[in-house]
């Protein structure tokens, strides 16, 4: 686990004229990468509504997947935002800016039937992320275990980073608090005393 990620500007909402749209369906990470789940969030919208880029970036995909118009934009931090269904005239390589219109909600049915929505995804490499985190939403992860189990305690930071996509701070709140430059600097005795 490396240093905390640099501060990141929150994304802007891609539909809803800048206000927070209704989240029709939340992110639901699959148990396994290939398993069932919802790899993004669905935002209430109407056919033909403008869709804007959540942040500055470069168009890395525009096409059709499963019969729906799709756009992917890669941002400076390496995260890709994905949008569907979207009718767009952008081409791969186009630079876009936060809040710039990238297309319109497409007419394709199925994803939110009978309602209409924009599906917004977030992906870093091959890992799907909960887009809500980029809008300032906080996610709590419970990883039950016995901190007296040294193997569990040593694997915990990696498990947290896997669940949240990064690790800013890990708190073992048990009555003693010290500052260490890295987790590796904590001795077993110091950890047990905490």
């Amino acid at each position: 686990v490396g240093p905390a990620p640099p501060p990141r500007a929150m994304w802007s909402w891609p539909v809803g004229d800048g206000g927070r749209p209704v989240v029709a369906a939340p992110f639901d990470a699959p148990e396994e990468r290939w398993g069932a789940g919802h790899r993004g969030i669905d935002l209430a919208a109407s056919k033909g509504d403008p869709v804007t880029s959540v942040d500055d970036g470069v168009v890395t995909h525009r096409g059709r997947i499963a019969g729906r118009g799709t756009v992917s934009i890669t941002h400076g931090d390496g995260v890709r935002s994905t949008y569907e269904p979207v009718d767009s005239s952008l081409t791969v390589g186009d630079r876009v800016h936060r809040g710039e219109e990238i297309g319109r909600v497409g007419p394709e049915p199925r994803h939110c039937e009978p309602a209409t929505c924009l599906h917004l995804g977030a992906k870093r490499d091959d890992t799907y992320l909960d887009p809500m985190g980029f809008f300032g939403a906080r996610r709590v992860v419970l990883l039950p275990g016995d901190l007296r189990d040294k193997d569990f305690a040593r694997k915990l930071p990696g498990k947290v980073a896997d669940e949240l996509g990064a690790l800013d701070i890990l708190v073992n709140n048990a009555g003693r608090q010290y500052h260490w430059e890295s987790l590796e600097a904590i001795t077993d005795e110091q950890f047990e005393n905490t």
Side-chain angles (χ1 to χ4, degrees):
V1 177
R8 179 180 343 136
M10 291 177 16
W11 281 1
S12 64
W13 292 105
V15 292
D17 295 323
R20 180 182 173 156
V22 172
V23 177
F27 178 82
D28 180 21
E31 292 286 325
E32 300 291 339
R33 182 171 291 172
W34 57 87
H38 190 236
R39 293 163 174 83
I41 57 176
D42 293 339
L43 304 174
S46 296
K47 292 176 186 171
D49 281 354
V51 177
T52 61
S53 179
V54 296
D55 203 359
D56 296 349
V58 176
V59 176
T60 48
H61 165 82
R62 187 194 64 107
R64 298 191 74 71
I65 297 175
R68 293 188 290 271
T70 56
V71 174
S72 297
I73 298 171
T74 301
H75 306 287
D77 59 2
V79 172
R80 287 188 316 274
S81 55
T82 62
Y83 312 77
E84 69 171 90
V86 176
D87 285 339
S88 177
S89 60
L90 294 172
T91 58
V92 170
D94 285 348
R95 293 195 172 280
V96 295
H97 299 284
R98 176 189 179 104
E100 180 180 338
E101 186 173 319
I102 61 170
R104 301 235 166 212
V105 175
E108 297 89 351
R110 295 193 301 260
H111 193 75
C112 294
E113 280 187 311
T116 303
C117 69
L118 175 76
H119 177 83
L120 175 68
K123 198 171 179 185
R124 179 180 286 120
D125 299 321
D126 290 332
T127 303
Y128 288 92
L129 307 170
D130 184 348
M132 292 300 289
F134 296 95
F135 295 104
R138 299 286 184 235
R139 184 166 167 234
V140 175
V141 176
L142 299 177
L143 297 170
D146 187 344
L147 289 175
R148 294 172 293 183
D149 176 346
K150 292 176 186 173
D151 186 52
F152 173 81
R154 295 219 184 279
K155 291 179 180 175
L156 184 60
K159 289 180 179 181
V160 172
D162 288 345
E163 287 290 326
L164 297 177
L167 178 62
D168 184 21
I169 187 170
L170 174 66
V171 175
N172 171 17
N173 190 0
R176 292 180 100 156
Q177 188 171 357
Y178 297 96
H179 173 78
W180 289 287
E181 289 300 318
S182 74
L183 293 172
E184 290 79 22
I186 303 171
T187 68
D188 289 343
E189 181 182 3
Q190 289 168 322
F191 194 84
E192 288 171 5
N193 286 339
T194 301

